[in-house]
Amino acid sequence: MRKKRTAYLLLLPLMGVTALALLACGSVLTQSLGVVPAFGLTEPTLDYYREALTDPAFFSALGVSLRTALLSALAAAALGTALCGALVRLGRDRGPMAYLIRLPILTPHAVTALFAILLLSQTGLLARWARALGLLSEPGAFPQLLFTPSYGGTILAYLWKEIPFVAYFTLALMAGVSRTLGEAAENLGASPLGAFLTVTLPLSLPAVSQAFLIIFLFAFGGYELPLLLGATLPKALPVYAHLAYMHPDLRQRPAAMALYGLILLLSAALAALYGLLTRRLLRRVGGGQ
């Protein structure tokens, strides 16, 4: 009984944060239906959702967010898994190196955007170094990576944060698998790469898949990096919703909340679909178990 009481006490902070998050989501969905008594709006309606779903700008913003989130998450999952495998192989899964890779994870997104501008802009450090080394005739010849419709700078900034996250998220599981079954496979004649691809990586896929889902949803719903590093048009969906939320006419608030509601519903749907596909994939990798 005492252990259970202690466990519940330790869970209280998480339960409190979860309750606040659920209350916020409920408030967003309620206001998105046009129910905002403080503004004299009391009748539920789906008009704001219809308005959003018939606006071409919404689908343009949705395409930007899906492309940015998918490309950054796929690249981060692949490179983060490779980084994790290298750390495990070199025996650096503990100690200073394991803590070092956490630094980008802890860096705020606004600071990450500032780093990207200082490093990747056409007047940034890379352009100046390339000019000093004679690789460019002038700094302005450096490729335009920031503030473009391709959102290349935003993707690179997400990668800087997401690759270490995937590596750190997967590190403990992959290290345990490598030290047991991976070494057993090598003792039976498998090459280090073969043992990694056939034993360590498949058994680490649950952690990799969870990390992919987290960073995909975070990039899909994040607005700081697309706002600071993206193009003026087309806008990412969270930026589009944020600007609608900042509309000076407060009676337009339900329209913004409808956009946030669509982001929430799309995130939940994508997470459910991804979970279904991942379970099927893991069953195949695990031999149907």
Side-chain angles (χ1 to χ4, degrees):
M1 179 65 68
R2 191 172 186 179
K3 291 182 178 180
K4 287 185 178 181
R5 191 181 302 116
T6 303
Y8 286 131
L9 287 174
L10 293 174
L11 285 174
L12 278 178
L14 176 62
M15 294 169 63
V17 172
T18 303
L20 287 175
L22 292 176
L23 285 173
C25 291
S27 176
V28 167
L29 294 176
T30 301
Q31 293 184 50
S32 71
L33 294 174
V35 179
V36 190
F39 301 155
L41 303 173
T42 57
E43 293 295 328
T45 178
L46 293 175
D47 289 346
Y48 298 104
Y49 282 96
R50 294 193 190 98
E51 181 182 345
L53 293 174
T54 55
D55 185 1
F58 168 78
F59 290 99
S60 177
L62 176 61
V64 168
S65 292
L66 285 175
R67 183 177 70 250
T68 302
L70 184 60
L71 290 177
S72 62
L74 285 173
L79 296 174
T81 303
L83 174 60
C84 184
L87 291 173
V88 170
R89 186 66 189 174
L90 295 173
R92 299 300 179 90
D93 54 295
R94 298 176 183 175
M97 186 60 69
Y99 288 98
L100 183 62
I101 65 173
R102 296 169 63 181
L103 291 179
I105 305 172
L106 301 174
T107 305
H109 282 77
V111 178
T112 300
L114 178 61
F115 286 164
I117 293 172
L118 292 175
L119 190 65
L120 301 175
S121 68
Q122 291 185 310
T123 57
L125 293 177
L126 285 182
R128 295 179 185 179
W129 290 340
R131 173 65 180 87
L133 294 173
L135 300 176
L136 296 176
S137 59
E138 58 180 9
F142 190 77
Q144 179 67 40
L145 299 173
L146 306 179
F147 319 119
T148 62
S150 66
Y151 280 74
T154 304
I155 293 173
L156 290 174
Y158 274 129
L159 288 178
W160 187 75
K161 289 184 64 67
E162 292 173 352
I163 291 173
F165 176 82
V166 174
Y168 190 76
F169 192 89
T170 314
L171 196 56
L173 176 60
M174 186 176 289
V177 172
S178 178
R179 290 195 185 99
T180 54
L181 299 177
E183 290 182 358
E186 291 187 36
N187 291 335
L188 292 174
S191 65
L193 180 59
F196 176 79
L197 293 177
T198 59
V199 178
T200 304
L201 180 59
L203 292 176
S204 301
L205 280 180
V208 175
S209 65
Q210 291 172 19
F212 173 88
L213 180 60
I214 291 171
I215 60 180
F216 173 81
L217 293 179
F218 196 89
F220 178 71
Y223 80 95
E224 300 99 324
L225 291 181
L227 175 66
L228 296 172
L229 301 177
T232 302
L233 289 173
K235 299 183 185 301
L237 184 56
V239 177
Y240 181 62
H242 175 70
L243 294 177
Y245 181 84
M246 299 302 293
H247 196 285
D249 184 1
L250 295 181
R251 292 181 63 86
Q252 296 298 317
R253 185 64 55 83
M257 289 302 182
L259 294 174
Y260 284 120
L262 287 170
I263 293 175
L264 180 63
L265 295 173
L266 283 170
S267 298
L270 290 171
L273 177 61
Y274 180 77
L276 177 63
L277 296 176
T278 302
R279 280 195 295 272
R280 291 184 177 180
L281 175 62
L282 293 178
R283 286 198 191 106
R284 289 188 179 183
V285 173
Q289 298 180 358

